[in-house]
Short mmCIF file of all heavy atoms in Angstrom, two decimals:
data_model
loop_
_atom_site.label_atom_id
_atom_site.label_comp_id
_atom_site.label_asym_id
_atom_site.label_seq_id
_atom_site.Cartn_x
_atom_site.Cartn_y
_atom_site.Cartn_z
N ILE A 1 10.28 -25.20 0.12
CA ILE A 1 11.04 -24.57 1.21
C ILE A 1 10.34 -24.78 2.49
O ILE A 1 9.13 -25.00 2.54
CB ILE A 1 11.33 -23.04 0.89
CG1 ILE A 1 10.01 -22.29 0.80
CG2 ILE A 1 12.15 -22.88 -0.34
CD1 ILE A 1 10.17 -20.81 0.68
N ALA A 2 11.08 -24.72 3.60
CA ALA A 2 10.51 -24.91 4.90
C ALA A 2 9.68 -23.73 5.36
O ALA A 2 8.73 -23.84 6.09
CB ALA A 2 11.60 -25.28 5.93
N ALA A 3 10.10 -22.50 4.96
CA ALA A 3 9.43 -21.30 5.39
C ALA A 3 8.12 -21.09 4.60
O ALA A 3 8.04 -21.49 3.44
CB ALA A 3 10.31 -20.09 5.17
N PRO A 4 7.11 -20.49 5.22
CA PRO A 4 5.89 -20.16 4.50
C PRO A 4 6.19 -19.24 3.32
O PRO A 4 7.08 -18.36 3.44
CB PRO A 4 5.01 -19.48 5.51
CG PRO A 4 5.58 -19.81 6.85
CD PRO A 4 7.07 -20.05 6.61
N THR A 5 5.52 -19.39 2.23
CA THR A 5 5.71 -18.52 1.08
C THR A 5 5.11 -17.17 1.34
O THR A 5 3.93 -17.02 1.77
CB THR A 5 5.05 -19.12 -0.18
OG1 THR A 5 5.66 -20.42 -0.42
CG2 THR A 5 5.25 -18.25 -1.40
N HIS A 6 5.90 -16.12 1.11
CA HIS A 6 5.42 -14.75 1.30
C HIS A 6 4.34 -14.47 0.23
O HIS A 6 4.50 -14.88 -0.91
CB HIS A 6 6.56 -13.73 1.11
CG HIS A 6 7.61 -13.86 2.18
ND1 HIS A 6 8.22 -12.79 2.74
CD2 HIS A 6 8.13 -14.88 2.81
CE1 HIS A 6 9.08 -13.16 3.63
NE2 HIS A 6 9.05 -14.48 3.69
N LEU A 7 3.35 -13.74 0.62
CA LEU A 7 2.25 -13.43 -0.33
C LEU A 7 2.16 -12.00 -0.75
O LEU A 7 1.24 -11.61 -1.45
CB LEU A 7 0.90 -13.86 0.29
CG LEU A 7 0.80 -15.38 0.65
CD1 LEU A 7 -0.55 -15.67 1.32
CD2 LEU A 7 0.93 -16.20 -0.63
N GLY A 8 3.15 -11.18 -0.42
CA GLY A 8 3.12 -9.78 -0.77
C GLY A 8 3.71 -9.48 -2.15
O GLY A 8 4.74 -8.83 -2.25
N TYR A 9 3.07 -9.94 -3.14
CA TYR A 9 3.58 -9.77 -4.56
C TYR A 9 2.55 -8.95 -5.38
O TYR A 9 1.48 -8.69 -4.91
CB TYR A 9 3.83 -11.14 -5.20
CG TYR A 9 4.94 -11.88 -4.56
CD1 TYR A 9 4.72 -12.85 -3.59
CD2 TYR A 9 6.28 -11.60 -4.88
CE1 TYR A 9 5.73 -13.50 -2.95
CE2 TYR A 9 7.32 -12.26 -4.24
CZ TYR A 9 7.04 -13.19 -3.31
OH TYR A 9 8.08 -13.83 -2.67
N ASP A 10 2.98 -8.63 -6.56
CA ASP A 10 2.15 -7.76 -7.43
C ASP A 10 0.94 -8.51 -8.04
O ASP A 10 -0.05 -7.90 -8.37
CB ASP A 10 2.99 -7.20 -8.59
CG ASP A 10 4.17 -6.38 -8.09
OD1 ASP A 10 4.02 -5.71 -7.06
OD2 ASP A 10 5.22 -6.38 -8.75
N VAL A 11 1.05 -9.79 -8.17
CA VAL A 11 -0.06 -10.60 -8.76
C VAL A 11 -1.09 -10.90 -7.72
O VAL A 11 -0.78 -11.26 -6.59
CB VAL A 11 0.51 -11.92 -9.35
CG1 VAL A 11 -0.58 -12.81 -9.84
CG2 VAL A 11 1.48 -11.60 -10.43
N GLU A 12 -2.34 -10.76 -8.09
CA GLU A 12 -3.44 -11.10 -7.16
C GLU A 12 -3.88 -12.56 -7.41
O GLU A 12 -4.09 -12.98 -8.57
CB GLU A 12 -4.61 -10.13 -7.36
CG GLU A 12 -5.65 -10.24 -6.34
CD GLU A 12 -6.67 -9.14 -6.47
OE1 GLU A 12 -6.31 -8.00 -6.77
OE2 GLU A 12 -7.87 -9.44 -6.26
N PHE A 13 -4.00 -13.36 -6.39
CA PHE A 13 -4.43 -14.73 -6.51
C PHE A 13 -5.89 -14.89 -6.07
O PHE A 13 -6.28 -14.18 -5.16
CB PHE A 13 -3.51 -15.62 -5.63
CG PHE A 13 -2.10 -15.65 -6.14
CD1 PHE A 13 -1.11 -14.87 -5.55
CD2 PHE A 13 -1.74 -16.42 -7.23
CE1 PHE A 13 0.21 -14.90 -6.00
CE2 PHE A 13 -0.43 -16.47 -7.70
CZ PHE A 13 0.53 -15.65 -7.09
N PRO A 14 -6.62 -15.79 -6.67
CA PRO A 14 -6.18 -16.70 -7.71
C PRO A 14 -5.85 -15.97 -9.00
O PRO A 14 -6.43 -14.88 -9.28
CB PRO A 14 -7.38 -17.64 -7.88
CG PRO A 14 -8.56 -16.93 -7.38
CD PRO A 14 -8.06 -15.97 -6.32
N TYR A 15 -4.96 -16.50 -9.78
CA TYR A 15 -4.47 -15.89 -10.97
C TYR A 15 -4.74 -16.82 -12.16
O TYR A 15 -4.45 -18.01 -12.08
CB TYR A 15 -2.94 -15.64 -10.82
CG TYR A 15 -2.25 -15.11 -12.04
CD1 TYR A 15 -2.32 -13.75 -12.36
CD2 TYR A 15 -1.53 -15.92 -12.89
CE1 TYR A 15 -1.68 -13.22 -13.45
CE2 TYR A 15 -0.89 -15.41 -14.02
CZ TYR A 15 -0.99 -14.06 -14.24
OH TYR A 15 -0.33 -13.55 -15.39
N THR A 16 -5.24 -16.30 -13.23
CA THR A 16 -5.46 -17.07 -14.46
C THR A 16 -4.29 -16.79 -15.40
O THR A 16 -4.08 -15.65 -15.78
CB THR A 16 -6.80 -16.72 -15.10
OG1 THR A 16 -7.85 -17.01 -14.16
CG2 THR A 16 -7.02 -17.55 -16.36
N VAL A 17 -3.59 -17.80 -15.84
CA VAL A 17 -2.48 -17.65 -16.73
C VAL A 17 -3.03 -17.44 -18.15
O VAL A 17 -3.83 -18.24 -18.60
CB VAL A 17 -1.56 -18.87 -16.70
CG1 VAL A 17 -0.39 -18.70 -17.68
CG2 VAL A 17 -1.04 -19.13 -15.25
N PRO A 18 -2.65 -16.30 -18.76
CA PRO A 18 -3.19 -16.06 -20.09
C PRO A 18 -2.77 -17.12 -21.13
O PRO A 18 -1.69 -17.70 -21.03
CB PRO A 18 -2.60 -14.71 -20.49
CG PRO A 18 -2.22 -14.05 -19.19
CD PRO A 18 -1.82 -15.20 -18.29
N GLU A 19 -3.62 -17.37 -22.09
CA GLU A 19 -3.32 -18.31 -23.19
C GLU A 19 -2.00 -17.95 -23.83
O GLU A 19 -1.71 -16.75 -24.08
CB GLU A 19 -4.48 -18.23 -24.21
CG GLU A 19 -4.37 -19.27 -25.33
CD GLU A 19 -4.87 -20.65 -24.87
OE1 GLU A 19 -5.72 -20.71 -23.97
OE2 GLU A 19 -4.38 -21.64 -25.40
N GLY A 20 -1.17 -18.92 -24.17
CA GLY A 20 0.09 -18.68 -24.81
C GLY A 20 1.22 -18.23 -23.91
O GLY A 20 2.26 -17.79 -24.43
N THR A 21 1.02 -18.31 -22.60
CA THR A 21 2.05 -17.90 -21.67
C THR A 21 2.26 -18.99 -20.59
O THR A 21 1.46 -19.90 -20.48
CB THR A 21 1.72 -16.56 -20.97
OG1 THR A 21 0.58 -16.74 -20.13
CG2 THR A 21 1.43 -15.46 -21.94
N VAL A 22 3.36 -18.86 -19.85
CA VAL A 22 3.61 -19.72 -18.71
C VAL A 22 3.92 -18.89 -17.48
O VAL A 22 4.42 -17.78 -17.58
CB VAL A 22 4.79 -20.72 -18.95
CG1 VAL A 22 4.41 -21.72 -20.01
CG2 VAL A 22 6.05 -20.00 -19.34
N PHE A 23 3.53 -19.42 -16.32
CA PHE A 23 3.76 -18.73 -15.05
C PHE A 23 4.94 -19.38 -14.39
O PHE A 23 4.95 -20.61 -14.21
CB PHE A 23 2.51 -18.87 -14.16
CG PHE A 23 2.57 -18.07 -12.90
CD1 PHE A 23 2.08 -16.79 -12.88
CD2 PHE A 23 3.08 -18.60 -11.74
CE1 PHE A 23 2.08 -16.03 -11.76
CE2 PHE A 23 3.11 -17.86 -10.58
CZ PHE A 23 2.64 -16.59 -10.55
N VAL A 24 6.03 -18.68 -14.16
CA VAL A 24 7.26 -19.25 -13.62
C VAL A 24 7.49 -18.79 -12.18
O VAL A 24 7.20 -17.64 -11.87
CB VAL A 24 8.49 -18.97 -14.50
CG1 VAL A 24 8.30 -19.56 -15.89
CG2 VAL A 24 8.70 -17.46 -14.60
N MET A 25 7.99 -19.70 -11.38
CA MET A 25 8.38 -19.38 -9.98
C MET A 25 9.77 -19.93 -9.74
O MET A 25 10.11 -21.03 -10.19
CB MET A 25 7.40 -19.97 -8.99
CG MET A 25 6.06 -19.31 -9.01
SD MET A 25 4.91 -20.01 -7.82
CE MET A 25 5.68 -19.65 -6.27
N GLY A 26 10.57 -19.13 -9.03
CA GLY A 26 11.93 -19.55 -8.69
C GLY A 26 11.94 -20.58 -7.61
O GLY A 26 10.98 -20.76 -6.85
N ASP A 27 13.03 -21.35 -7.52
CA ASP A 27 13.14 -22.38 -6.54
C ASP A 27 13.20 -21.82 -5.10
O ASP A 27 12.72 -22.47 -4.16
CB ASP A 27 14.47 -23.18 -6.74
CG ASP A 27 14.40 -24.05 -7.98
OD1 ASP A 27 13.30 -24.29 -8.44
OD2 ASP A 27 15.46 -24.45 -8.48
N ASN A 28 13.77 -20.69 -4.94
CA ASN A 28 13.84 -20.02 -3.62
C ASN A 28 12.73 -18.98 -3.61
O ASN A 28 12.93 -17.77 -3.73
CB ASN A 28 15.21 -19.38 -3.41
CG ASN A 28 15.39 -18.83 -2.00
OD1 ASN A 28 14.49 -18.88 -1.18
ND2 ASN A 28 16.56 -18.33 -1.77
N ARG A 29 11.47 -19.44 -3.44
CA ARG A 29 10.29 -18.58 -3.69
C ARG A 29 10.29 -17.23 -2.98
O ARG A 29 9.80 -16.30 -3.48
CB ARG A 29 9.03 -19.38 -3.27
CG ARG A 29 8.72 -20.42 -4.24
CD ARG A 29 7.40 -21.12 -3.89
NE ARG A 29 7.47 -22.49 -4.38
CZ ARG A 29 7.51 -23.54 -3.57
NH1 ARG A 29 7.45 -23.42 -2.29
NH2 ARG A 29 7.60 -24.71 -4.06
N ASN A 30 10.78 -17.20 -1.73
CA ASN A 30 10.74 -15.95 -1.01
C ASN A 30 11.82 -14.94 -1.46
O ASN A 30 11.77 -13.80 -1.00
CB ASN A 30 10.86 -16.22 0.51
CG ASN A 30 9.58 -16.90 1.03
OD1 ASN A 30 8.53 -16.71 0.46
ND2 ASN A 30 9.72 -17.66 2.07
N ASN A 31 12.79 -15.38 -2.25
CA ASN A 31 13.83 -14.46 -2.73
C ASN A 31 13.95 -14.50 -4.22
O ASN A 31 15.00 -14.14 -4.76
CB ASN A 31 15.15 -14.84 -2.07
CG ASN A 31 15.14 -14.64 -0.57
OD1 ASN A 31 14.81 -13.55 -0.11
ND2 ASN A 31 15.41 -15.65 0.18
N SER A 32 12.93 -14.96 -4.93
CA SER A 32 12.99 -15.02 -6.41
C SER A 32 12.23 -13.90 -7.03
O SER A 32 11.15 -13.53 -6.60
CB SER A 32 12.42 -16.37 -6.90
OG SER A 32 13.18 -17.45 -6.42
N HIS A 33 12.78 -13.41 -8.11
CA HIS A 33 12.07 -12.37 -8.93
C HIS A 33 11.48 -13.18 -10.11
O HIS A 33 12.18 -13.50 -11.05
CB HIS A 33 13.10 -11.32 -9.38
CG HIS A 33 12.44 -10.13 -9.97
ND1 HIS A 33 11.76 -9.20 -9.20
CD2 HIS A 33 12.36 -9.69 -11.24
CE1 HIS A 33 11.32 -8.23 -9.95
NE2 HIS A 33 11.66 -8.53 -11.23
N ASP A 34 10.20 -13.42 -10.03
CA ASP A 34 9.56 -14.33 -11.00
C ASP A 34 8.24 -13.81 -11.43
O ASP A 34 7.98 -12.60 -11.34
CB ASP A 34 9.44 -15.76 -10.36
CG ASP A 34 8.80 -15.73 -9.02
OD1 ASP A 34 7.93 -14.87 -8.77
OD2 ASP A 34 9.09 -16.63 -8.19
N SER A 35 7.34 -14.64 -11.99
CA SER A 35 6.05 -14.21 -12.55
C SER A 35 5.16 -13.50 -11.54
O SER A 35 4.16 -12.90 -11.96
CB SER A 35 5.30 -15.40 -13.18
OG SER A 35 5.94 -15.80 -14.33
N ARG A 36 5.45 -13.60 -10.29
CA ARG A 36 4.62 -12.91 -9.31
C ARG A 36 4.94 -11.39 -9.28
O ARG A 36 4.18 -10.62 -8.70
CB ARG A 36 4.89 -13.51 -7.87
CG ARG A 36 4.40 -14.95 -7.86
CD ARG A 36 4.84 -15.58 -6.59
NE ARG A 36 6.31 -15.70 -6.56
CZ ARG A 36 7.02 -16.06 -5.53
NH1 ARG A 36 6.44 -16.35 -4.37
NH2 ARG A 36 8.36 -16.13 -5.58
N ALA A 37 6.05 -10.97 -9.88
CA ALA A 37 6.44 -9.57 -9.96
C ALA A 37 5.77 -8.93 -11.22
O ALA A 37 5.76 -9.49 -12.29
CB ALA A 37 7.93 -9.41 -9.99
N GLU A 38 5.30 -7.72 -11.03
CA GLU A 38 4.63 -7.01 -12.15
C GLU A 38 5.49 -6.82 -13.37
O GLU A 38 5.01 -6.89 -14.52
CB GLU A 38 4.12 -5.64 -11.65
CG GLU A 38 3.25 -4.90 -12.64
CD GLU A 38 2.69 -3.62 -12.03
OE1 GLU A 38 3.41 -2.61 -12.16
OE2 GLU A 38 1.62 -3.69 -11.38
N ASP A 39 6.79 -6.58 -13.19
CA ASP A 39 7.68 -6.37 -14.35
C ASP A 39 8.10 -7.66 -15.04
O ASP A 39 8.70 -7.57 -16.15
CB ASP A 39 8.88 -5.55 -13.95
CG ASP A 39 9.77 -6.23 -12.93
OD1 ASP A 39 9.24 -6.95 -12.09
OD2 ASP A 39 11.00 -5.97 -12.99
N VAL A 40 7.75 -8.79 -14.47
CA VAL A 40 8.05 -10.08 -15.11
C VAL A 40 6.76 -10.67 -15.64
O VAL A 40 6.60 -10.94 -16.81
CB VAL A 40 8.69 -11.10 -14.13
CG1 VAL A 40 8.93 -12.43 -14.82
CG2 VAL A 40 10.04 -10.52 -13.63
N ASN A 41 5.80 -10.91 -14.80
CA ASN A 41 4.46 -11.45 -15.10
C ASN A 41 4.58 -12.76 -15.84
O ASN A 41 5.61 -13.47 -15.76
CB ASN A 41 3.63 -10.41 -15.86
CG ASN A 41 2.26 -10.36 -15.36
OD1 ASN A 41 1.66 -11.36 -15.09
ND2 ASN A 41 1.69 -9.16 -15.28
N ALA A 42 3.55 -13.17 -16.57
CA ALA A 42 3.57 -14.40 -17.32
C ALA A 42 4.53 -14.29 -18.50
O ALA A 42 4.58 -13.20 -19.11
CB ALA A 42 2.19 -14.80 -17.78
N ILE A 43 5.24 -15.34 -18.85
CA ILE A 43 6.25 -15.34 -19.90
C ILE A 43 5.63 -15.88 -21.24
O ILE A 43 5.03 -16.98 -21.18
CB ILE A 43 7.44 -16.24 -19.53
CG1 ILE A 43 7.99 -15.83 -18.12
CG2 ILE A 43 8.50 -16.23 -20.60
CD1 ILE A 43 8.56 -14.52 -18.05
N PRO A 44 5.76 -15.20 -22.33
CA PRO A 44 5.25 -15.75 -23.60
C PRO A 44 5.93 -17.08 -23.92
O PRO A 44 7.14 -17.24 -23.76
CB PRO A 44 5.68 -14.69 -24.64
CG PRO A 44 5.84 -13.44 -23.84
CD PRO A 44 6.34 -13.84 -22.49
N ILE A 45 5.12 -18.01 -24.35
CA ILE A 45 5.64 -19.38 -24.60
C ILE A 45 6.77 -19.39 -25.62
O ILE A 45 7.71 -20.20 -25.50
CB ILE A 45 4.48 -20.35 -24.99
CG1 ILE A 45 4.96 -21.80 -24.85
CG2 ILE A 45 4.01 -20.09 -26.38
CD1 ILE A 45 4.97 -22.32 -23.45
N GLU A 46 6.82 -18.42 -26.51
CA GLU A 46 7.86 -18.39 -27.54
C GLU A 46 9.23 -17.98 -26.91
O GLU A 46 10.23 -18.18 -27.51
CB GLU A 46 7.53 -17.51 -28.69
CG GLU A 46 7.32 -16.07 -28.40
CD GLU A 46 5.80 -15.75 -28.19
OE1 GLU A 46 4.98 -16.63 -28.10
OE2 GLU A 46 5.49 -14.58 -28.15
N ASN A 47 9.22 -17.47 -25.67
CA ASN A 47 10.44 -17.11 -24.98
C ASN A 47 11.04 -18.30 -24.20
O ASN A 47 12.08 -18.17 -23.64
CB ASN A 47 10.24 -15.95 -24.03
CG ASN A 47 9.97 -14.66 -24.77
OD1 ASN A 47 10.00 -14.56 -25.97
ND2 ASN A 47 9.73 -13.63 -24.02
N VAL A 48 10.35 -19.44 -24.14
CA VAL A 48 10.85 -20.60 -23.45
C VAL A 48 11.78 -21.32 -24.41
O VAL A 48 11.42 -21.68 -25.53
CB VAL A 48 9.69 -21.56 -23.04
CG1 VAL A 48 10.23 -22.83 -22.46
CG2 VAL A 48 8.74 -20.82 -22.09
N LEU A 49 13.06 -21.48 -23.98
CA LEU A 49 14.10 -22.02 -24.86
C LEU A 49 14.30 -23.53 -24.70
O LEU A 49 14.75 -24.16 -25.65
CB LEU A 49 15.42 -21.28 -24.57
CG LEU A 49 15.36 -19.78 -24.78
CD1 LEU A 49 16.74 -19.18 -24.48
CD2 LEU A 49 14.94 -19.42 -26.20
N GLY A 50 14.03 -24.04 -23.54
CA GLY A 50 14.33 -25.49 -23.33
C GLY A 50 13.07 -26.34 -23.24
O GLY A 50 11.97 -25.83 -23.22
N LYS A 51 13.27 -27.65 -23.25
CA LYS A 51 12.20 -28.57 -23.12
C LYS A 51 12.62 -29.69 -22.15
O LYS A 51 13.78 -30.14 -22.16
CB LYS A 51 11.83 -29.25 -24.44
CG LYS A 51 11.24 -28.26 -25.45
CD LYS A 51 10.84 -28.99 -26.70
CE LYS A 51 10.22 -28.00 -27.67
NZ LYS A 51 9.66 -28.65 -28.84
N ALA A 52 11.69 -30.11 -21.31
CA ALA A 52 11.96 -31.18 -20.37
C ALA A 52 12.01 -32.49 -21.12
O ALA A 52 11.20 -32.78 -21.96
CB ALA A 52 10.90 -31.25 -19.30
N ARG A 53 12.99 -33.32 -20.79
CA ARG A 53 13.10 -34.65 -21.41
C ARG A 53 12.90 -35.76 -20.39
O ARG A 53 12.58 -36.86 -20.76
CB ARG A 53 14.47 -34.82 -22.09
CG ARG A 53 14.61 -33.80 -23.24
CD ARG A 53 15.74 -34.15 -24.10
NE ARG A 53 15.54 -35.53 -24.52
CZ ARG A 53 16.01 -36.00 -25.66
NH1 ARG A 53 16.65 -35.22 -26.46
NH2 ARG A 53 15.81 -37.25 -25.96
N CYS A 54 13.12 -35.42 -19.12
CA CYS A 54 12.89 -36.42 -18.09
C CYS A 54 12.54 -35.76 -16.77
O CYS A 54 12.76 -34.56 -16.59
CB CYS A 54 14.14 -37.31 -17.89
SG CYS A 54 15.50 -36.48 -17.16
N ARG A 55 11.96 -36.49 -15.91
CA ARG A 55 11.55 -36.03 -14.61
C ARG A 55 12.27 -36.91 -13.56
O ARG A 55 12.31 -38.12 -13.73
CB ARG A 55 10.02 -36.16 -14.43
CG ARG A 55 9.53 -35.85 -13.06
CD ARG A 55 8.01 -35.99 -12.93
NE ARG A 55 7.40 -37.02 -13.74
CZ ARG A 55 6.27 -36.91 -14.34
NH1 ARG A 55 5.53 -35.80 -14.26
NH2 ARG A 55 5.76 -37.87 -15.07
N ILE A 56 12.83 -36.26 -12.56
CA ILE A 56 13.54 -37.03 -11.54
C ILE A 56 12.80 -36.98 -10.20
O ILE A 56 13.12 -37.76 -9.31
CB ILE A 56 14.99 -36.56 -11.34
CG1 ILE A 56 15.05 -35.08 -10.97
CG2 ILE A 56 15.79 -36.81 -12.58
CD1 ILE A 56 16.41 -34.60 -10.56
N TRP A 57 11.83 -36.11 -10.04
CA TRP A 57 11.10 -35.97 -8.78
C TRP A 57 9.66 -35.77 -9.02
O TRP A 57 9.30 -34.98 -9.94
CB TRP A 57 11.66 -34.83 -7.96
CG TRP A 57 11.27 -34.91 -6.50
CD1 TRP A 57 10.17 -34.28 -5.95
CD2 TRP A 57 11.83 -35.72 -5.52
NE1 TRP A 57 10.13 -34.62 -4.65
CE2 TRP A 57 11.12 -35.48 -4.33
CE3 TRP A 57 12.91 -36.59 -5.47
CZ2 TRP A 57 11.43 -36.09 -3.15
CZ3 TRP A 57 13.23 -37.20 -4.28
CH2 TRP A 57 12.49 -36.91 -3.13
N PRO A 58 8.76 -36.40 -8.36
CA PRO A 58 9.00 -37.39 -7.31
C PRO A 58 9.53 -38.69 -7.89
O PRO A 58 9.28 -39.04 -9.04
CB PRO A 58 7.63 -37.61 -6.65
CG PRO A 58 6.65 -37.16 -7.72
CD PRO A 58 7.33 -36.13 -8.56
N LEU A 59 10.31 -39.38 -7.06
CA LEU A 59 10.96 -40.59 -7.53
C LEU A 59 10.04 -41.63 -8.14
O LEU A 59 10.40 -42.29 -9.15
CB LEU A 59 11.80 -41.23 -6.36
CG LEU A 59 12.93 -40.38 -5.84
CD1 LEU A 59 13.57 -41.03 -4.61
CD2 LEU A 59 13.99 -40.12 -6.92
N ASP A 60 8.86 -41.80 -7.58
CA ASP A 60 7.93 -42.79 -8.11
C ASP A 60 7.34 -42.41 -9.46
O ASP A 60 6.66 -43.20 -10.14
CB ASP A 60 6.83 -43.07 -7.12
CG ASP A 60 5.92 -41.92 -6.82
OD1 ASP A 60 6.37 -40.75 -7.00
OD2 ASP A 60 4.77 -42.13 -6.35
N ARG A 61 7.60 -41.16 -9.92
CA ARG A 61 7.10 -40.75 -11.21
C ARG A 61 8.21 -40.32 -12.17
O ARG A 61 8.04 -39.70 -13.18
CB ARG A 61 6.12 -39.53 -11.03
CG ARG A 61 4.85 -39.95 -10.30
CD ARG A 61 3.90 -38.81 -10.09
NE ARG A 61 3.46 -38.32 -11.40
CZ ARG A 61 2.97 -37.11 -11.60
NH1 ARG A 61 2.87 -36.26 -10.64
NH2 ARG A 61 2.55 -36.73 -12.78
N GLY A 62 9.48 -40.69 -11.80
CA GLY A 62 10.64 -40.36 -12.60
C GLY A 62 10.66 -41.13 -13.92
O GLY A 62 10.01 -42.16 -14.05
N GLY A 63 11.37 -40.57 -14.88
CA GLY A 63 11.51 -41.23 -16.18
C GLY A 63 11.36 -40.24 -17.30
O GLY A 63 11.36 -39.04 -17.17
N SER A 64 11.31 -40.76 -18.53
CA SER A 64 11.22 -39.97 -19.75
C SER A 64 9.91 -39.24 -19.83
O SER A 64 8.85 -39.72 -19.42
CB SER A 64 11.39 -40.83 -20.99
OG SER A 64 12.68 -41.41 -21.00
N ILE A 65 9.95 -38.03 -20.43
CA ILE A 65 8.75 -37.22 -20.72
C ILE A 65 8.73 -37.02 -22.22
O ILE A 65 9.61 -36.36 -22.76
CB ILE A 65 8.80 -35.85 -20.03
CG1 ILE A 65 8.90 -36.04 -18.52
CG2 ILE A 65 7.59 -35.05 -20.42
CD1 ILE A 65 9.09 -34.74 -17.79
N TYR A 66 7.77 -37.59 -22.90
CA TYR A 66 7.67 -37.38 -24.36
C TYR A 66 6.24 -37.20 -24.75
O TYR A 66 5.30 -37.63 -24.26
CB TYR A 66 8.25 -38.59 -25.15
CG TYR A 66 9.71 -38.65 -25.00
CD1 TYR A 66 10.36 -39.59 -24.19
CD2 TYR A 66 10.50 -37.80 -25.76
CE1 TYR A 66 11.74 -39.66 -24.09
CE2 TYR A 66 11.91 -37.87 -25.66
CZ TYR A 66 12.52 -38.80 -24.82
OH TYR A 66 13.83 -38.86 -24.71
#
């Protein structure tokens, strides 16, 4: 995003992601309710439902992910 990312969240940085979890951030960082919020925090890996099969950005690194 063009605007600076707001830093007034519940998580203190630097942040270490616990083993077996993922840290998620929304695309619209300043208006997203994501892992930076105390009631969301890091997500257990078993709660991740999808898997990436390809990357489209950056263009020079696009292609299949296996």
Side-chain angles (χ1 to χ4, degrees):
I1 61 175
T5 300
H6 295 219
L7 298 176
Y9 293 97
D10 301 327
V11 174
E12 192 172 319
F13 294 100
Y15 176 80
T16 302
V17 180
E19 188 78 27
T21 66
V22 292
F23 188 90
V24 298
M25 288 180 66
D27 290 341
N28 187 358
R29 288 185 208 112
N30 290 333
N31 295 306
S32 295
H33 192 72
D34 51 30
S35 288
R36 297 170 294 170
E38 188 176 89
D39 63 327
V40 177
N41 224 319
I43 307 295
I45 196 76
E46 61 265 12
N47 290 358
V48 176
L49 302 178
K51 293 185 179 186
R53 296 194 55 151
C54 69
R55 173 179 34 218
I56 59 172
W57 197 263
L59 294 174
D60 64 337
R61 295 181 62 202
S64 296
I65 300 173
Y66 290 104

